[in-house]
Amino acid sequence: MRTANVRTIVIWTLVALIGAAGWAVLALARGEDVSAAWMVAAALGSYAIGYRFYAKFIAHKVLKVDATRATPAERLNNGIDFHPTDRRVLLGHHFAAIAGAGPLVGPVLAAQMGYLPGTIWIIAGVIFAGAVQDMVVLFFSTRRDGRSLGQMAREEIGPFGGAAALIAAFAIMIILLGVLALVIVNALAASPWGTFSIAMTIPIALLMGFYLRVLRPGRVSEVSLIGVGLLLLALVAGRWVAESSWADTFTLAPSTLVVWLVAYGFIASILPVWMLLAPRDYLSTFMKIGTIALLALGVVVALPTLKMDAVTDFASRGNGPVFAGSLFPFVFITIACGALSGFHALISSGTTPKMIQKETQVRMIGYGSMLMESSVAIMALVAASIIDPGLYFAMNAPAGVIGTTVDNASQVVTSWGYSISPADLAQAAKNVEEASLLSRTGGAPTLAVGVSEIFSKVTGGSLRAFWYHFAIMFEALFILTALDAGTRVGRFMLQDMLGNVYRPFKNISWKPGLVLTSAIVCALWGYFLWVGVHEPLGGINQLFPIFGISNQLLAAVALAVCTTLLVKSGRLKWAWITGIPLAWDATVTLTASFQKVFSGDPKVGFFKQRSVFQDAIDDGKVLPPAKSMDDMHTVVTNSTVDGVLTAVLALLIVVVIADALRVCVRHVRRPALSTLSEAPYVESRILAPAGLIPTRAEKEEARDAITAARS
């Protein structure tokens, strides 16, 4: 046996042992202190094994990626939407586009159930479901000229199921964009540091785009150094601005932020992809991955202890103060991004397939990016699990439950079995220079406290407030990159839908259609955002409760399309690869949908909540979170809308899955009747590595090509 083979076996055996050791400690430890480093070990070991073996098997054995086949970016290159993009830049863009609020917020909220259920779902879910979905959707969309998910459903499943998929996907996309934008507004309002730093990423990205396109084409390393240097300068300058006379200029009201976000989303959607979107997302990836890598390193150095229980009593009782509902199915709904997310399928069938250079890169970009996002989710869960559980519940329980004073909050949280004194609650807020940390719901502040806890143990406690505010700004940057790419994908989806009625819209670079559809998409999510900012119970706030369910319903559409395409393309024996995740996701999400619509618990069921509040209105009573009778009527309206929308979306997904099953059965029985809308084969003239680091064979191929060109 060659030395190289022995070395490879030894390395991967060690990786497997590290991951197994992490899992063993997390699963078996009860009653003793457990270091968060074991959670990191379990995750990284599992990710490495999954990428090296399972992803490679799917890419080469199942999908049979073809390095000689030209991608849409090469065949249809127009410099606007279709543009062959260096794999490193595209990896950054794709990761930044998919990594929005979900991997940061969902795991923090799910920590209510304990750290173990979330850890299992995040790691197992991404390896066998989320990353598989992203890679397979990217592959099939690349084979179909970058078609959107809804359009692929229409062409491959049929007009009936396809129409349901188109409507569901577009409606869910608007909801997701509105929620993402609301999180950004909440993070940046009254934050001059965050606003300035994030605003500066736009001119930096424009400089990078022109540098790669005009000044120094192909010089990715050079532009990366320039971009990262300027980004770090912007981060440091942001704090200077916040402490200077310029602070008022960059302290924006929520309504002003809404206008700027809508304007930015529109501009980012219509500009050539190489000019702003790709370089900005690539730039932000350095900060995202850099921060998460430093956080993981901080865990290894500081070795913080997991203070949250492995499984809490709320997991079985289903009456948690953070969110109501039992462990199954609601942990799997709360943790979406980081494990399995339908939003990713929209990016994988949106901007990325129009920019990818080679089919062989789908493994790195599709599967690899999702593993990167999952690592973000794990670090978010770590951050939530290392802080005092009493502080966690005081931060994430609503004011209507724990009150508005530290004394009352301490009493309520202690009654749940998690003791924390009023002095400790006050000191925790003082440590991060906040007036109060009570009821700072939404997950972001909890993550920031956890990040400050880890970093301060490495750099010193005096910097705790700095790291807290850095984390808040970091989260806003994280989410904004999903908003701009999502708006562009929404434009693609609307163009595909309208193209079924008026054919010029099929050409996604047709200027009138490009501008019109971008404006419509921005107007839709912008409207819900505007109302949500001005009415605490209205606008996008009205739709926020169905954010998680709608995202997972969209994943069911993506997995149904992937399974159908595997069957129709002659890969029936491999249909289980997406079929099993589809069955799991459909079971979880439809169960959650049923409970949210019909549960008799008013904290869970929308219609039961409507009934309780309507009865209170009839009796002249005001119930929290309402503060007036007008609010009571708004809650009734919201519950009705959410219940009806949840039922409609669930029904649409059932139609898609049923129609997909019909098509699969028909193909198995009579394969001659099936047709594929795959683009014809065209030989590629581009030479590009499949991974970040070129293999020896790829280096030799590149040298031979250079020699041939010179001769």
Side-chain angles (χ1 to χ4, degrees), residues 127-469:
I127 291 172
F128 297 109
V132 173
Q133 171 205 260
D134 292 11
M135 177 171 64
V136 176
V137 169
L138 176 57
F139 171 79
F140 281 125
S141 180
T142 300
R143 282 281 177 98
R144 285 157 179 76
D145 291 341
R147 286 280 190 245
S148 68
L149 177 66
Q151 190 62 24
M152 284 197 294
R154 186 179 186 278
E155 293 174 351
E156 301 293 352
I157 296 178
F160 188 59
L166 279 168
I167 295 170
F170 186 72
I172 292 170
M173 176 58 114
I174 297 301
I175 294 172
L176 298 182
L177 290 175
V179 170
L180 290 175
L182 181 63
V183 176
I184 296 170
V185 170
N186 290 338
L188 292 185
S191 175
W193 180 11
T195 301
F196 175 83
S197 298
I198 289 175
M200 289 306 297
T201 62
I202 297 174
I204 295 173
L206 290 170
L207 171 63
M208 293 173 66
F210 280 99
Y211 193 95
L212 279 178
R213 178 80 172 188
V214 180
L215 301 178
R216 301 275 285 174
R219 304 289 184 172
V220 177
S221 299
E222 289 180 15
V223 80
S224 298
L225 291 174
I226 294 171
V228 171
L230 292 174
L231 175 62
L232 293 175
L233 178 60
L235 292 175
V236 174
R239 197 179 194 194
W240 296 340
V241 167
E243 297 172 351
S244 72
S245 58
W246 288 10
D248 290 342
T249 303
F250 290 93
T251 303
L252 303 182
S255 56
T256 305
L257 282 168
V258 171
V259 174
W260 280 112
L261 283 177
V262 171
Y264 170 74
F266 176 75
I267 293 171
S269 179
I270 63 175
L271 284 180
V273 71
W274 59 265
M275 187 182 296
L276 176 60
L277 188 68
R280 189 189 177 285
D281 289 355
Y282 175 62
L283 177 67
S284 68
T285 295
F286 283 99
M287 182 179 170
K288 293 180 178 182
I289 292 299
T291 301
I292 295 302
L294 286 175
L295 195 55
L297 183 61
V299 169
V300 174
V301 173
L303 297 176
T305 300
L306 295 171
K307 296 179 181 178
M308 184 66 72
D309 296 332
V311 182
T312 68
D313 292 339
F314 294 124
S316 57
R317 296 204 305 259
N319 63 342
V322 179
F323 63 90
S326 56
L327 189 152
F328 179 88
F330 289 105
V331 159
F332 309 99
I333 298 298
T334 304
I335 300 177
C337 300
L340 172 65
S341 170
F343 176 75
H344 298 185
L346 302 181
I347 304 298
S348 290
S349 61
T351 54
T352 306
K354 299 174 180 65
M355 300 162 67
I356 194 167
Q357 291 175 315
K358 309 292 286 186
E359 278 189 4
T360 49
Q361 294 171 353
V362 299
R363 176 185 171 216
M364 176 188 70
I365 294 170
Y367 200 98
S369 291
M370 185 54 182
L371 291 183
M372 290 161 61
E373 189 192 31
S374 187
S375 69
V376 175
I378 282 292
M379 295 315 302
L381 184 58
V382 166
S385 300
I386 64 167
I387 66 175
D388 187 286
L391 177 60
Y392 169 85
F393 285 107
M395 291 184 67
N396 289 281
V401 175
I402 64 171
T404 57
T405 67
V406 291
D407 292 319
N408 196 64
S410 173
Q411 292 176 7
V412 174
V413 172
T414 300
S415 71
W416 296 333
Y418 300 98
S419 178
I420 188 168
S421 70
D424 289 336
L425 288 173
Q427 185 61 46
K430 184 179 179 181
N431 288 340
V432 295
E433 298 180 11
E434 289 283 340
S436 173
L437 289 177
L438 299 183
S439 301
R440 297 294 298 273
T441 57
T446 304
L447 173 63
V449 169
V451 168
S452 69
E453 181 81 14
I454 294 171
F455 281 160
S456 65
K457 286 184 177 181
V458 178
T459 61
S462 61
L463 294 175
R464 193 185 298 266
F466 169 83
W467 290 120
Y468 173 86
H469 291 283

Side-chain angles (χ1 to χ4, degrees), residues 88 189 296 592:
R88 292 161 291 186

Side-chain angles (χ1 to χ4, degrees), residues 30 106 109-122 309-320 323-335 552 584 587-589 591-592 595 601 604:
R30 291 293 182 272
L109 302 181
Q112 167 184 268
M113 301 294 192
Y115 65 78
L116 190 56
T119 301
I120 294 173
W121 171 232
I122 290 169
D309 296 332
V311 182
T312 68
D313 292 339
F314 294 124
S316 57
R317 296 204 305 259
N319 63 342
F323 63 90
S326 56
L327 189 152
F328 179 88
F330 289 105
V331 159
F332 309 99
I333 298 298
T334 304
I335 300 177
Q552 297 304 77
W584 168 258
T587 300
V588 167
T589 313
T591 299
Q595 292 187 18
D601 183 350
V604 177

